[in-house]
Amino acid sequence: MTTSPINSTDFRIEGKGYGPANELDHAREMLEKVLHLVDEPVLSAKALLADRPNNSVAHRCEAEASINVRGDTLRAHSFAPTMTEAVDSLKDKLRGQLRHRADRRRTESIRKVTEEGTWRHGSRPSDRPGFFDRPIDER
């Protein structure tokens, strides 16, 4: 696969709450790895990391990302006890969405027009005759 045309400076990573700066670096590396899987132009990418100080909640770390690939927006959201686990889960979710998108695009390009007079679910529409301006008397 080829690398994506987006640079690491073109996407935003924001952090809310408290936490070490290496978590933002880990999220940046995660996004770079995911973006290298894309063969099409990536218009934008952003991630948001939030660590809530409430210790009574089991999954207090939140990670979410949004990637715009050639007009299609892929979003993922994950919660985990630690920020590293949340970011890794987010990476897996985004990879799955990218694979699904690639498979969907591949099958759409394979579909062909069926034989004359038949129709199958998912077939491309057949060519229809052009407009014929019929005189009023013949309508």
Side-chain angles (χ1 to χ4, degrees):
M1 292 191 168
T2 59
T3 59
S4 172
I6 195 167
N7 296 335
S8 62
T9 58
D10 292 342
F11 57 81
R12 291 190 336 242
I13 297 180
E14 299 176 13
K16 289 185 178 180
Y18 66 94
N22 64 353
E23 292 173 351
L24 293 176
D25 294 335
H26 179 67
R28 182 172 297 279
E29 291 172 11
M30 176 273 307
L31 263 179
E32 287 175 355
K33 286 180 183 179
V34 169
L35 292 177
H36 283 297
L37 298 174
V38 181
D39 287 337
E40 299 174 276
V42 176
L43 304 178
S44 68
K46 62 182 176 179
L48 175 67
L49 307 177
D51 190 2
R52 294 183 176 74
N54 187 356
N55 290 330
S56 64
V57 178
H59 300 295
R60 66 179 209 171
C61 296
E62 173 186 9
E64 64 179 281
S66 174
I67 300 175
N68 189 339
V69 180
R70 199 173 162 202
D72 292 339
T73 303
L74 306 174
R75 292 185 182 95
H77 199 189
S78 67
F79 291 93
T82 65
M83 188 57 72
T84 304
E85 291 175 15
V87 169
D88 291 341
S89 172
L90 184 72
K91 179 179 75 170
D92 294 340
K93 288 180 180 183
L94 286 172
R95 288 174 109 180
Q97 286 186 15
L98 286 170
R99 275 194 211 109
H100 177 74
R101 183 179 180 276
D103 290 344
R104 192 178 71 229
R105 292 222 178 237
R106 192 176 310 114
T107 57
E108 285 176 0
S109 66
I110 293 174
R111 291 183 185 161
K112 298 177 182 174
V113 177
T114 57
E115 334 176 328
E116 188 73 27
T118 62
W119 181 85
R120 297 196 193 298
H121 183 71
S123 298
R124 292 183 179 172
S126 59
D127 293 330
R128 297 191 179 228
F131 178 76
F132 179 70
D133 191 19
R134 193 177 297 259
I136 295 176
D137 299 342
E138 296 178 12
R139 292 183 190 171

